[in-house]
Amino acid sequence: MNKFILTMAALMIATVAGAKSPVKKLYKRLLKLEKKGVMIGHQDDPLYGTTWKWDVGRSDVKETCGDYPAVMGFELGGIENGGDKSLDGVPFDRIRKEIVLHHNRGGIVTISWHPWNPVTGNNAWDPKGKAVAGVLPGGAQNAKFKGWLLTVAAFMKSLKTDGGKAVPVIFRPWHEMSGGWFWWGKDSCTPDEYQQLFRYTVDQLKAAGVSNLLYCYCPGGTVGETEANYMKFYPGDRYVDMLGVDVYNSSSTADYVARTKKELDVMRKIARERRKLYALTETGYRNTPQADWFTTGMWAAVKGSGASYVLLWRNAWDQPEENFGPAPEKSCADDFRKLAEEPEALFLNDVK
Ligand code: BMA
């Protein structure tokens, strides 16, 4: 990419901010890092692991291979209800601290959000109630939803270094809409309603003074591996900085590698045309039953793809069957160390 295009790309970012703003710096940094390799990420990495929780300074990734992941993912689900802990039982104060800490050590942060269903009062995995139409302007839940967005805005704005500088993060709201399991999923709204939801979210956050976010559009699960399928819910270039996709290893590893490669090919094409970043925003093989999965599955799928990062989902402290990252005692630990030796697999020390 030549300098002109790079500058143009930087100008296109959805977030309004000054030329030297932290979010623009992050955007440019990500564009550069894409050429160096694929960053390795892990959800909730410094909060808990397979055998521990809440300890400070720990990380299953670091304890396996000696370095922190370059990218850490955090989750805001539950913040909309005004509670002090997320749906995974993590205090939001602790999440804020870890986000700033990872930024200070030179890492990159991404945030997901699984808010409760505003109509039924059940969790995000309740597709009933036509809740997307409900939260849009004119809908019965719009006032409540606006309040939720103000709460999210307050959290985003509170992400600051000790010196008062904004911490830039990649925000990935309304993910996996191409599946039918969430209240914002394909069976619960029309593509047009989805697009309105995405735009409304970005517009309201900006109106509330949020300027430290890159926005990621992220189908998942059953995307369908074609450009048309990928773009079905796309809210528009002005609202999106990064393209993402969530793909898990569910049947065979060969199938996972093939599907993931196809999705990445589709995203790369769109990303190059529209000058967006792109990443494998969630992945994993539940409990990693294959000892060499990180190199022959995940890395085989993303190596050389040009993707910004790959984020392994969490090693859940509260659900033993939800375990996607490495850990020292897991049979895949040696293989993860092998991955860490790959020059193009970027950990914290490779990017800071
Ligand atoms: C999902 C699962 C849930 C969790 C949610 C938010 O994919 O891991 O157990 O509550 O993410 O972290």
Side-chain angles (χ1 to χ4, degrees):
M1 196 182 275
N2 69 32
K3 221 174 170 187
F4 173 72
I5 295 180
L6 223 133
T7 315
M8 286 304 292
L11 289 174
M12 305 232 350
I13 67 171
T15 3
V16 183
K20 286 195 179 140
S21 69
V23 76
K24 281 203 173 170
K25 275 196 198 158
L26 171 63
Y27 186 81
K28 286 186 180 168
R29 184 175 172 215
L30 290 172
L31 278 176
K32 271 195 195 159
L33 284 169
E34 274 188 359
K35 298 201 185 76
K36 198 173 172 194
V38 181
M39 291 187 282
I40 306 298
H42 187 213
Q43 180 75 1
D44 280 355
D45 184 76
L47 299 167
Y48 50 81
T50 51
T51 60
W52 58 277
K53 64 176 196 262
W54 318 143
D55 306 356
V56 174
R58 295 194 67 177
S59 150
D60 275 352
V61 167
K62 187 166 188 227
E63 286 170 31
T64 304
C65 75
D67 197 1
Y68 285 111
V71 178
M72 287 188 186
F74 296 92
E75 165 64 32
L76 287 189
I79 201 164
E80 67 282 358
N81 296 331
D84 56 0
K85 286 191 185 133
S86 76
L87 79 167
D88 302 319
V90 188
F92 290 114
D93 275 344
R94 176 71 192 277
I95 294 175
R96 181 186 298 105
K97 275 191 193 130
E98 293 296 345
I99 288 174
V100 176
L101 206 64
H102 193 56
H103 171 76
N104 285 344
R105 60 166 86 97
I108 282 146
V109 172
T110 175
I111 293 181
S112 53
W113 184 30
H114 293 75
W116 255 244
N117 182 317
V119 173
T120 66
N122 296 324
N123 66 22
W125 290 263
D126 179 7
K128 289 193 232 36
K130 299 268 173 239
V132 173
V135 300
L136 289 171
Q141 277 76 37
N142 179 249
K144 171 157 85 179
F145 185 59
K146 270 171 119 168
W148 286 12
L149 293 176
L150 285 178
T151 305
V152 169
F155 183 86
M156 298 302 190
K157 288 198 284 184
S158 76
L159 301 174
K160 291 213 162 113
T161 63
D162 282 349
K165 273 207 158 182
V167 173
V169 308
I170 301 158
F171 185 37
R172 191 171 63 92
W174 317 126
H175 62 304
E176 299 178 9
M177 84 305 289
S178 51
W181 42 89
F182 291 131
W183 60 259
W184 57 89
K186 70 168 169 58
D187 299 331
S188 307
C189 59
T190 65
D192 180 62
E193 284 167 339
Y194 177 88
Q195 287 156 355
Q196 288 184 53
L197 172 70
F198 201 106
R199 292 179 199 140
Y200 188 72
T201 301
V202 176
D203 288 339
Q204 291 290 311
L205 291 178
K206 281 192 200 170
V210 175
S211 60
N212 57 329
L213 305 182
L214 292 176
Y215 293 90
C216 179
Y217 165 75
C218 173
T222 50
V223 187
E225 300 155 1
T226 69
E227 222 172 304
N229 283 339
Y230 185 87
M231 295 301 274
K232 192 165 173 192
F233 298 87
Y234 189 68
D237 286 343
R238 279 184 51 224
Y239 290 87
V240 174
D241 302 299
M242 178 181 269
L243 307 176
V245 73
D246 295 356
V247 188
Y248 284 84
N249 195 135
S250 45
S251 48
S252 80
T253 298
D255 168 72
Y256 162 84
V257 172
R259 273 189 303 132
T260 307
K261 278 187 157 181
K262 273 192 201 155
E263 300 293 1
L264 287 167
D265 284 348
V266 167
M267 283 200 298
R268 181 171 46 251
K269 183 165 180 290
I270 303 168
R272 296 256 153 96
E273 280 165 13
R274 294 170 187 261
R275 302 187 189 112
K276 304 294 176 194
L277 299 155
Y278 59 108
L280 181 53
T281 38
E282 278 186 38
T283 199
Y285 191 179
R286 196 171 274 269
N287 288 337
T288 334
Q290 185 185 332
D292 64 355
W293 186 78
F294 288 116
T295 56
T296 64
M298 184 190 85
W299 193 239
V302 303
K303 186 184 177 174
S305 66
S308 183
Y309 66 83
V310 48
L311 185 98
L312 289 159
W313 203 241
R314 65 198 194 112
N315 286 353
W317 67 273
D318 51 341
Q319 324 225 19
E321 78 286 0
E322 262 203 55
N323 184 321
F324 297 96
E329 79 287 358
K330 282 175 75 172
S331 63
C332 58
D334 274 339
D335 186 56
F336 195 80
R337 285 187 277 272
K338 227 171 116 187
L339 167 74
E341 282 165 19
E342 289 276 339
E344 285 166 40
L346 308 179
F347 288 75
L348 180 70
N349 282 316
D350 305 308
V351 305
K352 67 182 192 189

